Amino acid sequence: MAAVIKTSTFAQLVIGPPGSGKTTYCKAMSTFLESIGRKVAIVNIDPANDDLCYKAAIDVSELITVEDAMIHMHLGPNGGLVYAMEYLLQNINWLMDKLSKFRDHYIIFDCPGQVELYTHNESVRNLVSFLESSGFRLCAVHLVDSHYCSDPGKFISTILLSLTAMLHLGLPHVNLLSKMDVMHEYKDRLLFGIDFYTDVLDLQYLLDALDEDPFAKKYRKLNAALVSLVEDFSLVSFLPLNSKDQRSLLKVRSAVDKASGWVYGQGEERSVQQMLACAVGAETEQERIGDLRDSLMNDDDSDNN
C-alpha cells in the first residue's frame, strides 16, 4: 500500500510547453528558496527529461523512461510519453514511498512538456488527484515563452493553452511569461507595452492586429469567438519571469505562496524582508513594469546613437 503523507506538504507543479524553461526555473527557484531557509526537493516526473541541470531528489527515470516505452512497446515519442505517465500511475506506490522521505520539504515537481497531458489526457490530472488526497497542497506554475508576445496569433494561442490547463487541472494556478531577460531581442516586434501582455488587457487590439494578415483576417469570427471566451472567464494573467533575477523570483514565490496558502516561518520571513530591503525595496507592480519598459526604451536609444 502506498505511503500516505498525512500532514500538508506544499508543492509546485511546474508545467508548460517544451522549451519554455521549466527545468531552468526549477533549479533557479529551488536555489532561491533554499537561500531564504526553505528545505526544497525537486522531483523530476518527466520521463523524457534526460538532461537535468539540477540534482533531483527523486527521478522518474529510475522507474521508466520514454525511450524504454518506445523500445519495448513499439511506440512513437508522444505515445511513449503517455504510456510512461500511465505506468507511473500504475506504480504510484514507488513515487509515494520516495516522497514520504521528504515530509518536511517543499516539493517542486518538474513535469513533462507535452501540452496534451494538460488539455485532454487524464494522466496528470489523475496524478494531481492522488497527490491531493495524500496531503499535498499543490499550485500549478505554468510557463510560456515570452517570445509569443511578438506574434498576436501565437499570444492568443498561449492564452487559450493557459486557460485550458487551468480548467483541466483545477488547481491554484500562476502563469508566467518566461525568458524575459531576452525580450530585448524581439522588442521591435511588440505591438503594445509589457503590461498589455502580463495583465491580458483588451484583446480587441489583438484582433485588429490580426486583420493586417490576409490569411488570419479570413478567420476573424473564429478569432473573435476565442478572444471572447478568454475575456468571459477573466482568469488569465501573467507574471514576467527572469530566472536570473532574484527580484523576479521573489515576486513569483510570493504569488505561488499566496495561491497555495503557504505561511512561512519567522526565520524565512526575516530572510525575505532582508531581500526585499536589498533587492526590491518599496517597488510597486507599476514600477516593476515601468522599469522593464524603460529598459527596452533605453535599448532603443542605444541603437539610435
Side-chain angles (χ1 to χ4, degrees), residues 145-150 178-190:
D145 196 323
S146 60
H147 179 267
Y148 294 139
C149 295
S150 63
S178 62
K179 305 180 183 179
M180 293 295 290
D181 52 312
V182 296
M183 178 170 270
H184 64 277
E185 296 179 6
Y186 49 89
K187 64 182 185 300
D188 294 336
R189 296 172 57 186
L190 296 179

Side-chain angles (χ1 to χ4, degrees), residues 58 77 106 118 132 151 178 190-192 195 211 248 276 300:
I58 304 171
Y106 184 91
Y118 314 101
E132 287 184 315
D151 185 297
S178 62
L190 296 179
L191 300 178
F192 312 104
D195 51 346
D211 282 346
S248 178
L276 279 170
D300 286 333

Side-chain angles (χ1 to χ4, degrees), residues 84-252:
M85 293 303 294
E86 292 176 348
Y87 186 84
L88 173 61
L89 283 171
Q90 292 171 1
N91 294 272
I92 196 66
N93 290 1
W94 174 88
L95 178 62
M96 297 309 297
D97 287 341
K98 288 184 175 293
L99 284 171
S100 66
K101 301 175 183 178
F102 297 93
R103 295 174 186 270
D104 58 343
H105 284 62
Y106 184 91
I107 308 296
I108 299 178
F109 290 100
D110 189 1
C111 298
Q114 274 64 16
V115 297
E116 59 265 31
L117 295 175
Y118 314 101
T119 56
H120 57 275
N121 185 274
E122 293 298 319
S123 56
V124 175
R125 173 63 253 182
N126 291 337
L127 177 61
V128 165
S129 297
F130 191 90
L131 290 172
E132 287 184 315
S133 67
S134 300
F136 279 87
R137 298 188 64 172
L138 296 166
C139 177
V141 179
H142 186 221
L143 279 69
V144 291
D145 196 323
S146 60
H147 179 267
Y148 294 139
C149 295
S150 63
D151 185 297
K154 290 181 179 178
F155 187 65
I156 291 176
S157 298
T158 293
I159 296 172
L160 286 172
L161 174 62
S162 301
L163 178 60
T164 303
M166 294 170 73
L167 297 177
H168 185 69
L169 292 179
L171 290 172
H173 197 104
V174 175
N175 293 306
L176 304 179
L177 287 176
S178 62
K179 305 180 183 179
M180 293 295 290
D181 52 312
V182 296
M183 178 170 270
H184 64 277
E185 296 179 6
Y186 49 89
K187 64 182 185 300
D188 294 336
R189 296 172 57 186
L190 296 179
L191 300 178
F192 312 104
I194 302 301
D195 51 346
F196 177 89
Y197 300 99
T198 56
D199 297 340
V200 188
L201 300 175
D202 190 350
L203 297 181
Q204 178 64 41
Y205 292 109
L206 287 180
L207 287 178
D208 294 340
L210 283 171
D211 282 346
E212 298 177 7
D213 182 345
F215 179 80
K217 189 175 182 179
K218 295 191 302 181
Y219 299 96
R220 180 177 176 84
K221 289 185 178 180
L222 174 61
N223 292 329
L226 295 176
V227 165
S228 176
L229 176 66
V230 173
E231 292 182 333
D232 287 346
F233 277 96
S234 298
L235 291 175
V236 182
S237 62
F238 296 92
L239 282 175
L241 170 66
N242 176 1
S243 293
K244 300 176 183 178
D245 184 1
Q246 284 195 332
R247 294 174 300 176
S248 178
L249 293 171
L250 180 58
K251 292 179 183 299
V252 172

Side-chain angles (χ1 to χ4, degrees), residues 28-60:
M29 182 55 73
S30 172
T31 301
F32 174 79
L33 292 175
E34 288 174 346
S35 73
I36 60 175
R38 198 175 297 188
K39 296 176 68 175
V40 182
I42 305 179
V43 178
N44 175 43
I45 55 172
D46 182 0
N49 192 350
D50 57 359
D51 187 23
L52 300 179
C53 62
Y54 54 77
K55 183 178 180 181
I58 304 171
D59 190 349
V60 71

